Amino acid sequence: MQNKPTHRQALFLMIIAATLWSMAGVLTRHLEAARDFEVTFWRSLFAAIYVAGAMLWQHKAQALPRLLAVGRFGMISGAMWAIMFSCFMIALTMTTVANTLIVMSISPLLTALFARIFLHQQIAARTWLAICVATAGIFWMFIDGFSQLDARGLAGMMIALGVPLAAAVNVISMKKGGHAVDLIPAVLIGGVLSALAMLPMAWPFQASLHDLLILALLGFFQLGFPCMLMVRAARSLSAPELSLLALLEVLLGPIWAWLGAGEVPAQATLLGGSVVLSALVFNELLALRKA
């Protein structure tokens, strides 16, 4: 994890990360009793435990110094991870999955704008095109589920807006500080902060042993590990590329729910998903050709 990956290696790492993130829906379908805030609490806690264990295994006595050395960008990144971990679940308790995912799909656009403002990064025309096409594809995927909003639903979408905003700030923080210090400890900080924030709302716990096993799997391999991969990939990918590739989570989520939980996706989901995938492939193929 020390050497900077090549562009192709970083691309591969982000594909793995987004694929693992996308499995949250199908795994939570098999929970027995745990719901809402408790799911977020255990998932965040297990993610923190996983990252802490990985750091201890890799760095041993240097794990604590690395945690303390994250600096201001690491603390900002940790806070953003916590917001993303928490806001997503809170939004789902107040509005539909479709509404939440539509709000989340603006993340690449926000990241590109922030990169232009704070990193003074020139964004290629192909990337702007891919962002617009991918965003349109996400709307196409979920427009049928876009409910008539009441006050609670509107509040849920406003909370969901915290996810793309935090994601964009997090990517900028990783690009600004990731070359100087190891920001993987920021994922640990985010997991701890999210778990602490969710604890009052998650109590009393209702999760069964069966649920805890699934939640541990979610925390370890659906949250902790892929977030570490993203931190690693951020050293070689541009900010807009990171956000665009993260959209694979939204694209693959309905597919796993179809295969693992029998939830047959609508035709619009399949067509919109093909548009998103085409935009991602188009952008990365041109980037690789240019490289």
Side-chain angles (χ1 to χ4, degrees):
M1 299 290 288
Q2 301 304 313
N3 297 327
K4 181 179 178 179
T6 65
H7 184 275
R8 294 190 182 190
Q9 289 171 337
L11 176 62
F12 183 62
L13 292 178
M14 269 307 296
I15 291 174
I16 295 175
T19 300
L20 292 173
W21 285 329
S22 70
M23 295 182 179
V26 65
L27 288 174
T28 53
R29 293 294 189 273
H30 297 286
L31 293 172
E32 294 175 340
R35 292 292 182 270
D36 301 336
F37 300 110
E38 186 177 1
V39 173
T40 305
F41 168 79
W42 286 115
R43 193 178 69 141
S44 298
L45 179 62
F46 282 126
I49 292 172
Y50 177 87
V51 177
M55 290 178 60
L56 286 171
W57 176 79
Q58 184 177 2
H59 303 297
K60 299 179 175 60
Q62 294 300 311
L64 182 58
R66 281 178 172 266
L67 176 62
L68 298 176
V70 293
R72 62 190 179 104
F73 288 115
M75 294 304 298
I76 293 173
S77 179
M80 295 305 103
W81 284 120
I83 291 173
M84 286 186 284
F85 294 167
S86 303
C87 283
F88 179 70
M89 185 55 66
I90 296 174
L92 288 181
T93 66
M94 301 179 68
T95 189
T96 65
V97 174
N99 292 348
T100 303
L101 292 176
I102 286 173
V103 173
M104 287 173 57
S105 71
I106 69 172
S107 178
L109 178 59
L110 291 176
T111 302
L113 291 174
F114 286 3
R116 186 71 182 89
I117 296 170
F118 298 109
L119 300 179
H120 307 293
Q121 188 175 42
Q122 294 292 333
I123 311 300
R126 59 173 172 78
T127 302
W128 284 117
L129 177 61
I131 290 172
C132 294
V133 172
T135 302
I138 297 293
F139 272 82
W140 191 357
M141 286 175 67
F142 298 107
I143 197 65
D144 289 339
F146 196 76
S147 62
Q148 294 295 324
L149 291 177
D150 54 14
R152 180 178 175 82
L154 181 60
M157 292 190 71
M158 294 300 295
I159 292 173
L161 186 60
V163 179
L165 282 171
V169 174
N170 192 27
V171 169
I172 301 304
S173 299
M174 287 190 289
K175 296 300 295 182
K176 292 280 283 187
H179 295 288
V181 296
D182 181 11
L183 291 185
I184 285 179
V187 182
L188 167 60
I189 295 171
V192 172
L193 292 177
S194 176
L196 290 175
M198 294 296 103
L199 180 57
M201 295 175 283
W203 186 264
F205 299 139
Q206 299 181 23
S208 62
L209 178 60
H210 171 270
D211 288 350
L212 288 176
L213 291 174
I214 294 177
L215 291 167
L217 186 65
L218 282 169
F220 290 173
F221 301 112
Q222 186 272 325
L223 195 61
F225 178 59
C227 289
M228 292 173 66
L229 294 183
M230 181 178 182
V231 174
R232 170 75 167 150
R235 299 185 65 188
S236 299
L237 295 176
S238 70
E241 280 182 306
L242 285 168
S243 290
L244 273 173
L245 290 167
L247 286 182
L248 282 171
E249 175 189 2
V250 181
L251 171 64
L252 295 175
I255 296 177
W256 302 136
W258 177 21
L259 297 176
E263 297 183 8
V264 180
Q267 184 179 15
T269 301
L270 297 176
L271 294 175
S274 66
V275 171
V276 177
L277 183 60
S278 298
L280 298 180
V281 171
F282 168 79
N283 185 64
E284 291 307 322
L285 284 178
L286 287 185
L288 291 172
R289 182 180 179 183
K290 181 178 180 180

